[in-house]
PDB file of all heavy atoms in Angstrom:
ATOM      1  N   VAL A   1     -21.975  31.578 -60.801  1.00 66.00           N
ATOM      2  CA  VAL A   1     -21.164  31.359 -59.599  1.00 66.00           C
ATOM      3  C   VAL A   1     -22.068  31.184 -58.391  1.00 66.00           C
ATOM      4  O   VAL A   1     -21.877  30.265 -57.581  1.00 66.00           O
ATOM      5  CB  VAL A   1     -20.171  32.518 -59.378  1.00 66.00           C
ATOM      6  CG1 VAL A   1     -19.501  32.403 -58.019  1.00 66.00           C
ATOM      7  CG2 VAL A   1     -19.128  32.544 -60.473  1.00 66.00           C
ATOM      8  N   ALA A   2     -23.057  32.038 -58.262  1.00 74.00           N
ATOM      9  CA  ALA A   2     -23.981  31.940 -57.129  1.00 74.00           C
ATOM     10  C   ALA A   2     -24.743  30.625 -57.171  1.00 74.00           C
ATOM     11  O   ALA A   2     -24.904  29.954 -56.142  1.00 74.00           O
ATOM     12  CB  ALA A   2     -24.954  33.111 -57.141  1.00 74.00           C
ATOM     13  N   GLU A   3     -25.191  30.240 -58.348  1.00 75.00           N
ATOM     14  CA  GLU A   3     -25.927  28.987 -58.502  1.00 75.00           C
ATOM     15  C   GLU A   3     -25.036  27.794 -58.164  1.00 75.00           C
ATOM     16  O   GLU A   3     -25.467  26.843 -57.515  1.00 75.00           O
ATOM     17  CB  GLU A   3     -26.448  28.873 -59.936  1.00 75.00           C
ATOM     18  CG  GLU A   3     -27.416  27.737 -60.141  1.00 75.00           C
ATOM     19  CD  GLU A   3     -28.018  27.751 -61.540  1.00 75.00           C
ATOM     20  OE1 GLU A   3     -28.172  28.837 -62.114  1.00 75.00           O
ATOM     21  OE2 GLU A   3     -28.329  26.658 -62.032  1.00 75.00           O
ATOM     22  N   THR A   4     -23.777  27.865 -58.575  1.00 74.00           N
ATOM     23  CA  THR A   4     -22.831  26.785 -58.286  1.00 74.00           C
ATOM     24  C   THR A   4     -22.584  26.661 -56.788  1.00 74.00           C
ATOM     25  O   THR A   4     -22.533  25.558 -56.248  1.00 74.00           O
ATOM     26  CB  THR A   4     -21.501  27.024 -59.027  1.00 74.00           C
ATOM     27  OG1 THR A   4     -21.757  27.065 -60.423  1.00 74.00           O
ATOM     28  CG2 THR A   4     -20.499  25.919 -58.721  1.00 74.00           C
ATOM     29  N   ARG A   5     -22.441  27.798 -56.121  1.00 77.00           N
ATOM     30  CA  ARG A   5     -22.232  27.770 -54.668  1.00 77.00           C
ATOM     31  C   ARG A   5     -23.411  27.113 -53.956  1.00 77.00           C
ATOM     32  O   ARG A   5     -23.225  26.296 -53.057  1.00 77.00           O
ATOM     33  CB  ARG A   5     -22.035  29.178 -54.130  1.00 77.00           C
ATOM     34  CG  ARG A   5     -20.697  29.748 -54.435  1.00 77.00           C
ATOM     35  CD  ARG A   5     -20.532  31.115 -53.832  1.00 77.00           C
ATOM     36  NE  ARG A   5     -19.219  31.645 -54.166  1.00 77.00           N
ATOM     37  CZ  ARG A   5     -18.865  32.881 -54.016  1.00 77.00           C
ATOM     38  NH1 ARG A   5     -19.721  33.767 -53.515  1.00 77.00           N
ATOM     39  NH2 ARG A   5     -17.664  33.280 -54.334  1.00 77.00           N
ATOM     40  N   VAL A   6     -24.602  27.481 -54.358  1.00 81.00           N
ATOM     41  CA  VAL A   6     -25.801  26.898 -53.748  1.00 81.00           C
ATOM     42  C   VAL A   6     -25.836  25.400 -54.012  1.00 81.00           C
ATOM     43  O   VAL A   6     -26.121  24.594 -53.117  1.00 81.00           O
ATOM     44  CB  VAL A   6     -27.080  27.591 -54.287  1.00 81.00           C
ATOM     45  CG1 VAL A   6     -28.329  26.833 -53.879  1.00 81.00           C
ATOM     46  CG2 VAL A   6     -27.129  29.033 -53.825  1.00 81.00           C
ATOM     47  N   PHE A   7     -25.520  25.013 -55.238  1.00 78.00           N
ATOM     48  CA  PHE A   7     -25.546  23.604 -55.602  1.00 78.00           C
ATOM     49  C   PHE A   7     -24.498  22.809 -54.837  1.00 78.00           C
ATOM     50  O   PHE A   7     -24.777  21.714 -54.329  1.00 78.00           O
ATOM     51  CB  PHE A   7     -25.336  23.450 -57.115  1.00 78.00           C
ATOM     52  CG  PHE A   7     -25.526  22.040 -57.594  1.00 78.00           C
ATOM     53  CD1 PHE A   7     -26.788  21.471 -57.646  1.00 78.00           C
ATOM     54  CD2 PHE A   7     -24.444  21.284 -57.978  1.00 78.00           C
ATOM     55  CE1 PHE A   7     -26.964  20.177 -58.080  1.00 78.00           C
ATOM     56  CE2 PHE A   7     -24.608  19.985 -58.415  1.00 78.00           C
ATOM     57  CZ  PHE A   7     -25.875  19.429 -58.470  1.00 78.00           C
ATOM     58  N   LEU A   8     -23.281  23.340 -54.722  1.00 79.00           N
ATOM     59  CA  LEU A   8     -22.231  22.637 -53.982  1.00 79.00           C
ATOM     60  C   LEU A   8     -22.584  22.489 -52.506  1.00 79.00           C
ATOM     61  O   LEU A   8     -22.299  21.457 -51.897  1.00 79.00           O
ATOM     62  CB  LEU A   8     -20.897  23.366 -54.137  1.00 79.00           C
ATOM     63  CG  LEU A   8     -20.236  23.241 -55.503  1.00 79.00           C
ATOM     64  CD1 LEU A   8     -19.002  24.139 -55.583  1.00 79.00           C
ATOM     65  CD2 LEU A   8     -19.866  21.805 -55.810  1.00 79.00           C
ATOM     66  N   THR A   9     -23.208  23.519 -51.956  1.00 83.00           N
ATOM     67  CA  THR A   9     -23.655  23.434 -50.566  1.00 83.00           C
ATOM     68  C   THR A   9     -24.692  22.328 -50.419  1.00 83.00           C
ATOM     69  O   THR A   9     -24.663  21.554 -49.464  1.00 83.00           O
ATOM     70  CB  THR A   9     -24.244  24.785 -50.106  1.00 83.00           C
ATOM     71  OG1 THR A   9     -23.229  25.778 -50.230  1.00 83.00           O
ATOM     72  CG2 THR A   9     -24.729  24.711 -48.676  1.00 83.00           C
ATOM     73  N   ARG A  10     -25.579  22.242 -51.394  1.00 83.00           N
ATOM     74  CA  ARG A  10     -26.609  21.195 -51.366  1.00 83.00           C
ATOM     75  C   ARG A  10     -25.974  19.808 -51.465  1.00 83.00           C
ATOM     76  O   ARG A  10     -26.374  18.884 -50.748  1.00 83.00           O
ATOM     77  CB  ARG A  10     -27.584  21.415 -52.511  1.00 83.00           C
ATOM     78  CG  ARG A  10     -28.683  20.404 -52.539  1.00 83.00           C
ATOM     79  CD  ARG A  10     -29.722  20.745 -53.573  1.00 83.00           C
ATOM     80  NE  ARG A  10     -30.639  19.636 -53.705  1.00 83.00           N
ATOM     81  CZ  ARG A  10     -31.155  19.248 -54.843  1.00 83.00           C
ATOM     82  NH1 ARG A  10     -30.890  19.903 -55.941  1.00 83.00           N
ATOM     83  NH2 ARG A  10     -31.969  18.219 -54.887  1.00 83.00           N
ATOM     84  N   VAL A  11     -25.008  19.658 -52.338  1.00 81.00           N
ATOM     85  CA  VAL A  11     -24.338  18.360 -52.498  1.00 81.00           C
ATOM     86  C   VAL A  11     -23.642  17.972 -51.201  1.00 81.00           C
ATOM     87  O   VAL A  11     -23.734  16.827 -50.750  1.00 81.00           O
ATOM     88  CB  VAL A  11     -23.332  18.397 -53.672  1.00 81.00           C
ATOM     89  CG1 VAL A  11     -22.447  17.164 -53.680  1.00 81.00           C
ATOM     90  CG2 VAL A  11     -24.068  18.537 -54.988  1.00 81.00           C
ATOM     91  N   GLU A  12     -22.960  18.924 -50.588  1.00 83.00           N
ATOM     92  CA  GLU A  12     -22.276  18.646 -49.324  1.00 83.00           C
ATOM     93  C   GLU A  12     -23.270  18.197 -48.253  1.00 83.00           C
ATOM     94  O   GLU A  12     -23.024  17.226 -47.531  1.00 83.00           O
ATOM     95  CB  GLU A  12     -21.525  19.891 -48.845  1.00 83.00           C
ATOM     96  CG  GLU A  12     -20.729  19.660 -47.583  1.00 83.00           C
ATOM     97  CD  GLU A  12     -19.977  20.900 -47.135  1.00 83.00           C
ATOM     98  OE1 GLU A  12     -20.149  21.972 -47.731  1.00 83.00           O
ATOM     99  OE2 GLU A  12     -19.219  20.781 -46.159  1.00 83.00           O
ATOM    100  N   LYS A  13     -24.400  18.875 -48.181  1.00 88.00           N
ATOM    101  CA  LYS A  13     -25.421  18.492 -47.201  1.00 88.00           C
ATOM    102  C   LYS A  13     -25.963  17.096 -47.488  1.00 88.00           C
ATOM    103  O   LYS A  13     -26.197  16.316 -46.568  1.00 88.00           O
ATOM    104  CB  LYS A  13     -26.564  19.509 -47.196  1.00 88.00           C
ATOM    105  CG  LYS A  13     -26.200  20.812 -46.546  1.00 88.00           C
ATOM    106  CD  LYS A  13     -27.355  21.797 -46.575  1.00 88.00           C
ATOM    107  CE  LYS A  13     -26.944  23.119 -45.968  1.00 88.00           C
ATOM    108  NZ  LYS A  13     -28.024  24.121 -46.046  1.00 88.00           N
ATOM    109  N   GLU A  14     -26.157  16.791 -48.757  1.00 87.00           N
ATOM    110  CA  GLU A  14     -26.683  15.471 -49.115  1.00 87.00           C
ATOM    111  C   GLU A  14     -25.672  14.376 -48.796  1.00 87.00           C
ATOM    112  O   GLU A  14     -26.046  13.294 -48.359  1.00 87.00           O
ATOM    113  CB  GLU A  14     -27.075  15.423 -50.594  1.00 87.00           C
ATOM    114  CG  GLU A  14     -28.242  16.313 -50.952  1.00 87.00           C
ATOM    115  CD  GLU A  14     -29.530  15.982 -50.216  1.00 87.00           C
ATOM    116  OE1 GLU A  14     -29.691  14.846 -49.711  1.00 87.00           O
ATOM    117  OE2 GLU A  14     -30.406  16.871 -50.151  1.00 87.00           O
ATOM    118  N   ILE A  15     -24.399  14.644 -48.997  1.00 88.00           N
ATOM    119  CA  ILE A  15     -23.370  13.660 -48.646  1.00 88.00           C
ATOM    120  C   ILE A  15     -23.375  13.422 -47.139  1.00 88.00           C
ATOM    121  O   ILE A  15     -23.272  12.290 -46.676  1.00 88.00           O
ATOM    122  CB  ILE A  15     -21.979  14.108 -49.136  1.00 88.00           C
ATOM    123  CG1 ILE A  15     -21.911  13.997 -50.659  1.00 88.00           C
ATOM    124  CG2 ILE A  15     -20.863  13.282 -48.495  1.00 88.00           C
ATOM    125  CD1 ILE A  15     -20.653  14.570 -51.272  1.00 88.00           C
ATOM    126  N   LEU A  16     -23.519  14.492 -46.378  1.00 89.00           N
ATOM    127  CA  LEU A  16     -23.554  14.348 -44.920  1.00 89.00           C
ATOM    128  C   LEU A  16     -24.810  13.639 -44.439  1.00 89.00           C
ATOM    129  O   LEU A  16     -24.828  13.098 -43.335  1.00 89.00           O
ATOM    130  CB  LEU A  16     -23.434  15.726 -44.256  1.00 89.00           C
ATOM    131  CG  LEU A  16     -22.081  16.412 -44.436  1.00 89.00           C
ATOM    132  CD1 LEU A  16     -22.118  17.821 -43.872  1.00 89.00           C
ATOM    133  CD2 LEU A  16     -20.961  15.603 -43.820  1.00 89.00           C
ATOM    134  N   GLN A  17     -25.856  13.603 -45.257  1.00 92.00           N
ATOM    135  CA  GLN A  17     -27.092  12.915 -44.902  1.00 92.00           C
ATOM    136  C   GLN A  17     -27.022  11.408 -45.169  1.00 92.00           C
ATOM    137  O   GLN A  17     -27.873  10.659 -44.700  1.00 92.00           O
ATOM    138  CB  GLN A  17     -28.287  13.506 -45.662  1.00 92.00           C
ATOM    139  CG  GLN A  17     -28.624  14.923 -45.269  1.00 92.00           C
ATOM    140  CD  GLN A  17     -29.019  15.033 -43.812  1.00 92.00           C
ATOM    141  OE1 GLN A  17     -29.788  14.221 -43.306  1.00 92.00           O
ATOM    142  NE2 GLN A  17     -28.481  16.024 -43.128  1.00 92.00           N
ATOM    143  N   LEU A  18     -26.021  10.983 -45.940  1.00 91.00           N
ATOM    144  CA  LEU A  18     -25.851   9.547 -46.171  1.00 91.00           C
ATOM    145  C   LEU A  18     -25.542   8.866 -44.846  1.00 91.00           C
ATOM    146  O   LEU A  18     -25.026   9.492 -43.915  1.00 91.00           O
ATOM    147  CB  LEU A  18     -24.697   9.299 -47.146  1.00 91.00           C
ATOM    148  CG  LEU A  18     -24.875   9.765 -48.581  1.00 91.00           C
ATOM    149  CD1 LEU A  18     -23.556   9.607 -49.340  1.00 91.00           C
ATOM    150  CD2 LEU A  18     -25.987   9.013 -49.274  1.00 91.00           C
ATOM    151  N   SER A  19     -25.820   7.579 -44.783  1.00 92.00           N
ATOM    152  CA  SER A  19     -25.462   6.847 -43.572  1.00 92.00           C
ATOM    153  C   SER A  19     -23.944   6.893 -43.423  1.00 92.00           C
ATOM    154  O   SER A  19     -23.209   7.056 -44.397  1.00 92.00           O
ATOM    155  CB  SER A  19     -25.939   5.394 -43.656  1.00 92.00           C
ATOM    156  OG  SER A  19     -25.181   4.680 -44.617  1.00 92.00           O
ATOM    157  N   GLU A  20     -23.479   6.752 -42.199  1.00 91.00           N
ATOM    158  CA  GLU A  20     -22.040   6.817 -41.945  1.00 91.00           C
ATOM    159  C   GLU A  20     -21.287   5.776 -42.765  1.00 91.00           C
ATOM    160  O   GLU A  20     -20.230   6.066 -43.327  1.00 91.00           O
ATOM    161  CB  GLU A  20     -21.755   6.625 -40.456  1.00 91.00           C
ATOM    162  CG  GLU A  20     -20.295   6.758 -40.113  1.00 91.00           C
ATOM    163  CD  GLU A  20     -20.015   6.631 -38.627  1.00 91.00           C
ATOM    164  OE1 GLU A  20     -20.973   6.492 -37.843  1.00 91.00           O
ATOM    165  OE2 GLU A  20     -18.837   6.657 -38.261  1.00 91.00           O
ATOM    166  N   GLU A  21     -21.837   4.587 -42.876  1.00 93.00           N
ATOM    167  CA  GLU A  21     -21.188   3.516 -43.619  1.00 93.00           C
ATOM    168  C   GLU A  21     -21.037   3.890 -45.090  1.00 93.00           C
ATOM    169  O   GLU A  21     -19.980   3.688 -45.699  1.00 93.00           O
ATOM    170  CB  GLU A  21     -21.973   2.199 -43.498  1.00 93.00           C
ATOM    171  CG  GLU A  21     -21.979   1.609 -42.110  1.00 93.00           C
ATOM    172  CD  GLU A  21     -23.072   2.190 -41.216  1.00 93.00           C
ATOM    173  OE1 GLU A  21     -23.944   2.937 -41.707  1.00 93.00           O
ATOM    174  OE2 GLU A  21     -23.032   1.911 -40.003  1.00 93.00           O
ATOM    175  N   GLN A  22     -22.102   4.435 -45.672  1.00 93.00           N
ATOM    176  CA  GLN A  22     -22.055   4.827 -47.082  1.00 93.00           C
ATOM    177  C   GLN A  22     -21.117   6.015 -47.284  1.00 93.00           C
ATOM    178  O   GLN A  22     -20.341   6.042 -48.237  1.00 93.00           O
ATOM    179  CB  GLN A  22     -23.451   5.188 -47.585  1.00 93.00           C
ATOM    180  CG  GLN A  22     -24.385   4.014 -47.675  1.00 93.00           C
ATOM    181  CD  GLN A  22     -25.783   4.436 -48.058  1.00 93.00           C
ATOM    182  OE1 GLN A  22     -26.056   5.600 -48.339  1.00 93.00           O
ATOM    183  NE2 GLN A  22     -26.697   3.477 -48.070  1.00 93.00           N
ATOM    184  N   ARG A  23     -21.184   6.978 -46.400  1.00 91.00           N
ATOM    185  CA  ARG A  23     -20.350   8.177 -46.515  1.00 91.00           C
ATOM    186  C   ARG A  23     -18.868   7.818 -46.427  1.00 91.00           C
ATOM    187  O   ARG A  23     -18.051   8.309 -47.208  1.00 91.00           O
ATOM    188  CB  ARG A  23     -20.730   9.187 -45.433  1.00 91.00           C
ATOM    189  CG  ARG A  23     -20.112  10.548 -45.611  1.00 91.00           C
ATOM    190  CD  ARG A  23     -20.642  11.576 -44.643  1.00 91.00           C
ATOM    191  NE  ARG A  23     -20.411  11.213 -43.252  1.00 91.00           N
ATOM    192  CZ  ARG A  23     -21.365  10.846 -42.391  1.00 91.00           C
ATOM    193  NH1 ARG A  23     -22.623  10.809 -42.768  1.00 91.00           N
ATOM    194  NH2 ARG A  23     -21.065  10.526 -41.152  1.00 91.00           N
ATOM    195  N   ILE A  24     -18.513   6.935 -45.513  1.00 91.00           N
ATOM    196  CA  ILE A  24     -17.116   6.531 -45.346  1.00 91.00           C
ATOM    197  C   ILE A  24     -16.605   5.848 -46.603  1.00 91.00           C
ATOM    198  O   ILE A  24     -15.530   6.179 -47.113  1.00 91.00           O
ATOM    199  CB  ILE A  24     -16.948   5.621 -44.109  1.00 91.00           C
ATOM    200  CG1 ILE A  24     -17.115   6.451 -42.842  1.00 91.00           C
ATOM    201  CG2 ILE A  24     -15.594   4.912 -44.124  1.00 91.00           C
ATOM    202  CD1 ILE A  24     -17.227   5.637 -41.577  1.00 91.00           C
ATOM    203  N   VAL A  25     -17.390   4.926 -47.141  1.00 92.00           N
ATOM    204  CA  VAL A  25     -16.962   4.213 -48.348  1.00 92.00           C
ATOM    205  C   VAL A  25     -16.868   5.181 -49.526  1.00 92.00           C
ATOM    206  O   VAL A  25     -15.909   5.135 -50.304  1.00 92.00           O
ATOM    207  CB  VAL A  25     -17.915   3.031 -48.658  1.00 92.00           C
ATOM    208  CG1 VAL A  25     -17.626   2.441 -50.016  1.00 92.00           C
ATOM    209  CG2 VAL A  25     -17.791   1.954 -47.585  1.00 92.00           C
ATOM    210  N   LEU A  26     -17.827   6.075 -49.658  1.00 89.00           N
ATOM    211  CA  LEU A  26     -17.805   7.064 -50.736  1.00 89.00           C
ATOM    212  C   LEU A  26     -16.554   7.932 -50.646  1.00 89.00           C
ATOM    213  O   LEU A  26     -15.878   8.177 -51.643  1.00 89.00           O
ATOM    214  CB  LEU A  26     -19.062   7.937 -50.670  1.00 89.00           C
ATOM    215  CG  LEU A  26     -19.242   8.953 -51.796  1.00 89.00           C
ATOM    216  CD1 LEU A  26     -19.575   8.243 -53.097  1.00 89.00           C
ATOM    217  CD2 LEU A  26     -20.327   9.946 -51.452  1.00 89.00           C
ATOM    218  N   MET A  27     -16.213   8.356 -49.449  1.00 87.00           N
ATOM    219  CA  MET A  27     -15.021   9.188 -49.260  1.00 87.00           C
ATOM    220  C   MET A  27     -13.745   8.410 -49.551  1.00 87.00           C
ATOM    221  O   MET A  27     -12.833   8.925 -50.205  1.00 87.00           O
ATOM    222  CB  MET A  27     -14.985   9.747 -47.840  1.00 87.00           C
ATOM    223  CG  MET A  27     -16.036  10.788 -47.587  1.00 87.00           C
ATOM    224  SD  MET A  27     -15.907  11.535 -45.959  1.00 87.00           S
ATOM    225  CE  MET A  27     -16.020  10.122 -44.894  1.00 87.00           C
ATOM    226  N   LEU A  28     -13.664   7.191 -49.060  1.00 89.00           N
ATOM    227  CA  LEU A  28     -12.452   6.403 -49.263  1.00 89.00           C
ATOM    228  C   LEU A  28     -12.196   6.142 -50.739  1.00 89.00           C
ATOM    229  O   LEU A  28     -11.069   6.270 -51.215  1.00 89.00           O
ATOM    230  CB  LEU A  28     -12.545   5.069 -48.516  1.00 89.00           C
ATOM    231  CG  LEU A  28     -12.457   5.126 -46.999  1.00 89.00           C
ATOM    232  CD1 LEU A  28     -12.733   3.750 -46.397  1.00 89.00           C
ATOM    233  CD2 LEU A  28     -11.108   5.636 -46.542  1.00 89.00           C
ATOM    234  N   VAL A  29     -13.245   5.806 -51.474  1.00 90.00           N
ATOM    235  CA  VAL A  29     -13.071   5.435 -52.874  1.00 90.00           C
ATOM    236  C   VAL A  29     -13.052   6.657 -53.791  1.00 90.00           C
ATOM    237  O   VAL A  29     -12.158   6.801 -54.621  1.00 90.00           O
ATOM    238  CB  VAL A  29     -14.167   4.433 -53.308  1.00 90.00           C
ATOM    239  CG1 VAL A  29     -14.049   4.111 -54.793  1.00 90.00           C
ATOM    240  CG2 VAL A  29     -14.074   3.150 -52.492  1.00 90.00           C
ATOM    241  N   CYS A  30     -14.022   7.548 -53.634  1.00 84.00           N
ATOM    242  CA  CYS A  30     -14.159   8.668 -54.567  1.00 84.00           C
ATOM    243  C   CYS A  30     -13.275   9.860 -54.240  1.00 84.00           C
ATOM    244  O   CYS A  30     -12.793  10.537 -55.132  1.00 84.00           O
ATOM    245  CB  CYS A  30     -15.614   9.117 -54.635  1.00 84.00           C
ATOM    246  SG  CYS A  30     -16.704   7.845 -55.283  1.00 84.00           S
ATOM    247  N   VAL A  31     -13.071  10.130 -52.985  1.00 82.00           N
ATOM    248  CA  VAL A  31     -12.277  11.302 -52.601  1.00 82.00           C
ATOM    249  C   VAL A  31     -10.817  10.919 -52.385  1.00 82.00           C
ATOM    250  O   VAL A  31      -9.912  11.539 -52.932  1.00 82.00           O
ATOM    251  CB  VAL A  31     -12.865  11.979 -51.345  1.00 82.00           C
ATOM    252  CG1 VAL A  31     -11.991  13.136 -50.909  1.00 82.00           C
ATOM    253  CG2 VAL A  31     -14.279  12.460 -51.624  1.00 82.00           C
TER     254      VAL A  31
END
């Protein structure tokens, strides 16, 4: 559980590091 929390936090940070254009398209299609 602890490892998963750390990993999910990392994924969220990496998504936020994407360019705005990429992040928007990723959210629209995948989320």
Side-chain angles (χ1 to χ4, degrees):
V1 171
E3 190 174 329
T4 300
R5 285 182 181 166
V6 169
F7 187 72
L8 287 173
T9 300
R10 181 173 171 218
V11 169
E12 183 179 6
K13 287 179 182 177
E14 294 300 339
I15 289 173
L16 292 174
Q17 293 298 316
L18 293 172
S19 70
E20 183 177 357
E21 293 85 9
Q22 291 175 4
R23 190 172 60 250
I24 288 169
V25 170
L26 184 71
M27 290 185 303
L28 289 173
V29 176
C30 297
V31 177

